[in-house]
Amino acid sequence: MRVKKAIEGVQGVKKVDVSLENRQAVVEFDEGKTDTEKIKAAIRETGYEPA
């Protein structure tokens, strides 16, 4: 839940589906408001390392 909430907190993120079991996150976002680097930074803040 921490990872999902962190990603949802990034401005421009529309939808998030996280599976820690599969080590996967599917994120729908507005490219005009954010980018993958900001999303990855939010994941790192939770203590996980994005691929």
Side-chain angles (χ1 to χ4, degrees), residues 13-44:
V13 170
K14 297 177 180 180
K15 184 178 176 183
V16 181
D17 184 27
V18 175
S19 171
L20 294 179
E21 183 178 301
N22 295 329
R23 300 181 62 164
Q24 180 178 357
V26 178
V27 183
E28 183 181 325
F29 63 95
D30 182 339
E31 292 180 10
K33 294 183 180 178
T34 195
D35 58 35
T36 56
E37 290 307 313
K38 289 178 184 174
I39 295 168
K40 288 180 181 181
I43 295 169
R44 286 187 193 98

